[in-house]
């Protein structure tokens, strides 16, 4: 349904993994849906209720078993498998019943879910007779590219236990054995991907089941309070490892040492629950914040040093800022490698990182004659993908034509 065409008021439900990086890409879509007169309900970990409610959406909360998932710098195969199993159990034993209770008397028309909430989202959509839509905060998967294979060893014994949980859960809710492969697939018939096709791994292999709408964040209003650069001609480096706090003081001190105070001003965002005082005294060319919206700094930044979270990367590429990525684990390393393939960044391992190595990576990236053109191409791809408006258009279209084969592009 084209943007601006009145649509019947609908109810959209979101069942998402308990991580800010999974929730944040949907907030712009939620604001757009609410602006059009729809209702939006999140089934969300209690820690993220406030950020959801700030949009005007309703938050139905639970307490996630997520714990310290994603905080380990170098998880073993056993840790990855155990974490994945624990999260699967959490989605079917906690997220799913919470959603079904919340929607028993208030059925949604569309259920959106992500890679980590496949079981709960798809079964809930079936039982509620809602349109299922998979959202992808990171790279999507299809017949050619598997995120699951990249993250988990299919032969690990814990994966077999997870398969038993899935089969039991689906069977309990009336899904036949011959249907289970479709319900356990890594993608759906309708998929919203919050990055441009140009940044998707093996992007040319994805068909019209996948809508690459790009990031959905809004630029800061012109009259809002904004960070301003020092104004002395020095380059600006933005440094962050994402929104969540952790034991990162050593990393940030290394970054402070990597940038020459004569030529650089460094802005650090440490994590929403962090205290800059824990870093100890910092050089005069470094400022540290618990958090600062990156779109305030990126228009002025010459480089962004980050963990390769997709939200951070999309913000950087929206402004044409090159990235030095220091991935922690999981799919972040894939995104860091994709930066290099696209010519818009460099990847370094977090383990064994030194200030000279980081300084060398930054210098090499900025000196590469191909970097500006590659950044311009990716900036254009990000800015023309459609964002929240296109995502909302598609959701309305998919809801209206619920029994049709979707076309996304």
């Amino acid at each position: 349904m084209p943007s601006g065409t009145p649509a019947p008021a609908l109810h959209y439900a979101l069942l998402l993994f308990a991580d800010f990086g999974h929730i944040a890409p949907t907030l712009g879509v939620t604001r757009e849906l609410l602006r059009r007169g729809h209702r939006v309900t999140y089934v969300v970990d209690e820690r993220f209720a406030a950020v959801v409610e700030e949009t005007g959406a309703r938050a139905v909360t639970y307490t996630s078993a997520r714990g310290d998932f994603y905080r380990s710098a170098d998880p073993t195969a056993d840790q990855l498998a155990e974490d994945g199993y624990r999260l699967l159990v959490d989605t079917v034993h906690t997220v799913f019943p919470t959603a079904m209770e919340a929607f028993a008397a208030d059925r949604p028309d569309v259920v959106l879910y992500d890679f980590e909430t496949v079981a709960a989202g798809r079964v809930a959509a079936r039982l509620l007779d809602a349109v299922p839509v998979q959202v992808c905060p990171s790279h999507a998967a299809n017949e050619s590219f598997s995120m699951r294979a990249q993250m988990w060893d299919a032969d690990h014994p814990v994966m077999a236990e997870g398969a038993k949980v899935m089969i039991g859960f689906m069977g309990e809710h009336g899904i036949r054995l011959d249907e289970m492969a479709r319900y356990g697939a890594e993608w759906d018939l309708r998929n919203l991907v919050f990055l441009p096709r140009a940044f998707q791994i093996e992007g040319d292999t994805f068909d019209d089941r996948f809508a690459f709408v790009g990031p959905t964040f809004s630029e800061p209003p012109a009259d809002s309070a904004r960070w301003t650069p020092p104004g002395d001609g020095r380059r600006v480096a933005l440094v962050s490892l994402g929104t969540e706090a952790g034991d990162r003081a050593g990393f940030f001190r290394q970054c402070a040492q990597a940038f020459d105070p004569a030529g650089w001003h460094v802005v650090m965002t440490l994590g929403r629950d962090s205290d800059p005082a824990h870093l100890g005294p910092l050089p005069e060319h470094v400022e540290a914040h618990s958090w600062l919206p990156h779109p305030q700094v990126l228009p002025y930044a010459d480089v962004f040093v980050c963990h390769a979270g997709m939200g951070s990367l999309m913000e950087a590429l929206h402004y044409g800022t090159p990235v030095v990525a220091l991935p922690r684990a999981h799919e972040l390393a894939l995104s860091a490698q994709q930066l290099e393939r696209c010519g818009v960044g460099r990847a370094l391992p977090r383990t064994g990182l030194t200030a000279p190595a980081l300084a060398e990576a930054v210098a090499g990236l900025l000196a590469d004659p191909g970097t500006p053109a590659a950044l311009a191409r990716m900036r254009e791809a990000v800015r023309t993908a459609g964002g929240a408006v296109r995502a909302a258009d598609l959701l309305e279209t998919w809801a209206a034509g619920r029994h049709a084969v979707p076309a996304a592009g």
Side-chain angles (χ1 to χ4, degrees):
M1 185 171 296
S3 177
T5 302
L10 300 175
H11 183 194
Y12 293 86
L14 293 93
L15 283 64
L16 304 175
F17 178 48
D19 181 89
F20 185 77
H22 285 236
I23 295 165
T26 69
L27 298 177
V29 184
T30 291
R31 292 188 183 94
E32 179 64 20
L33 291 172
L34 292 169
R35 188 190 67 78
R36 299 182 185 196
H38 302 300
R39 293 188 299 123
V40 180
T41 301
Y42 283 73
V43 179
V44 66
D45 181 88
E46 58 191 0
R47 292 173 294 175
F48 303 107
V51 73
V52 163
E53 291 170 342
E54 285 172 2
T55 68
R58 175 191 176 205
V60 173
T61 62
Y62 66 95
T63 302
S64 172
R66 173 180 179 253
D68 288 335
F69 190 68
Y70 276 108
R71 293 198 184 193
S72 175
D74 293 293
T76 65
D78 288 343
Q79 288 173 325
L80 278 175
E82 289 163 4
D83 283 340
Y85 177 80
R86 177 162 48 86
L87 293 170
L88 170 62
V89 171
D90 196 36
T91 62
V92 301
H93 289 172
T94 302
V95 178
F96 176 78
T98 301
M100 295 305 293
E101 180 179 357
F103 299 133
D106 187 17
R107 184 185 67 81
D109 299 281
V110 179
V111 171
L112 297 92
Y113 65 91
D114 63 28
F115 178 73
E116 303 287 358
T117 54
V118 162
R122 290 180 184 167
V123 175
R126 172 170 169 144
L127 297 181
L128 294 166
D129 192 29
V131 176
V133 176
Q134 183 162 329
V135 298
C136 304
S138 185
H139 301 281
N142 65 359
E143 292 87 350
S144 297
F145 172 73
S146 169
M147 280 288 288
R148 187 179 294 166
Q150 298 289 335
M151 294 177 66
W152 288 292
D153 179 1
D155 296 325
H156 195 285
V158 174
M159 300 304 291
E161 293 301 311
K164 290 179 184 177
V165 171
M166 283 281 286
I167 292 169
F169 173 67
M170 291 188 287
E172 180 183 347
H173 295 288
I175 297 173
R176 303 186 310 270
L177 279 173
D178 62 340
E179 299 177 287
M180 288 186 182
R182 177 166 62 89
Y183 275 79
E186 289 185 71
W187 58 90
D188 211 321
L189 290 176
R190 305 165 184 87
N191 305 271
L192 281 181
V193 191
F194 295 119
L195 56 146
R197 183 185 294 273
F199 197 73
Q200 166 69 43
I201 297 172
E202 300 186 26
D204 290 343
T205 69
F206 287 78
D207 58 26
D208 285 346
R209 294 168 297 177
F210 301 84
F212 292 91
V213 300
T216 66
F217 67 91
S218 300
E219 296 193 48
D223 58 352
S224 65
R226 299 176 71 95
W227 179 89
T228 55
D232 57 8
R234 286 180 296 166
R235 286 177 160 181
V236 173
L238 176 62
V239 178
S240 177
L241 289 180
T243 58
E244 296 192 8
D247 183 13
R248 305 169 174 178
F251 166 80
F252 284 108
R253 284 193 290 268
Q254 279 185 324
C255 288
Q257 297 166 8
F259 292 94
D260 180 1
W264 287 92
H265 181 82
V266 181
V267 182
M268 297 179 172
T269 62
L270 310 181
R272 293 183 186 273
D273 300 323
S274 63
D275 182 355
H278 291 165
L279 289 183
L282 291 171
E284 290 185 3
H285 72 300
V286 178
E287 59 177 276
H289 305 261
S290 293
W291 194 249
L292 183 69
H294 292 162
Q296 292 188 15
V297 182
L298 285 167
Y300 309 99
D302 295 274
V303 70
F304 185 20
V305 178
C306 70
H307 63 308
M310 191 60 72
S312 294
L313 297 186
M314 289 298 104
E315 288 179 341
L317 297 176
H318 176 88
Y319 291 102
T321 305
V323 178
V324 172
L326 304 160
R328 300 181 276 171
H330 312 309
E331 80 276 9
L332 304 180
L334 300 177
S335 295
Q337 293 165 11
Q338 188 70 349
L339 283 171
E340 294 193 330
R341 291 190 198 101
C342 294
V344 294
R346 296 285 189 274
L348 288 177
R350 279 271 299 277
T351 303
L353 178 70
T354 65
L358 177 56
E360 182 179 357
V362 170
L365 175 61
L366 298 184
D368 188 331
T371 298
L375 284 168
R377 289 192 297 270
M378 192 58 68
R379 182 177 184 270
E380 180 71 7
V382 169
R383 287 181 173 243
T384 59
V389 171
R390 182 176 174 225
D393 288 347
L394 286 164
L395 289 171
E396 289 179 341
T397 299
W398 290 339
R402 54 183 298 126
H403 298 300
V405 176

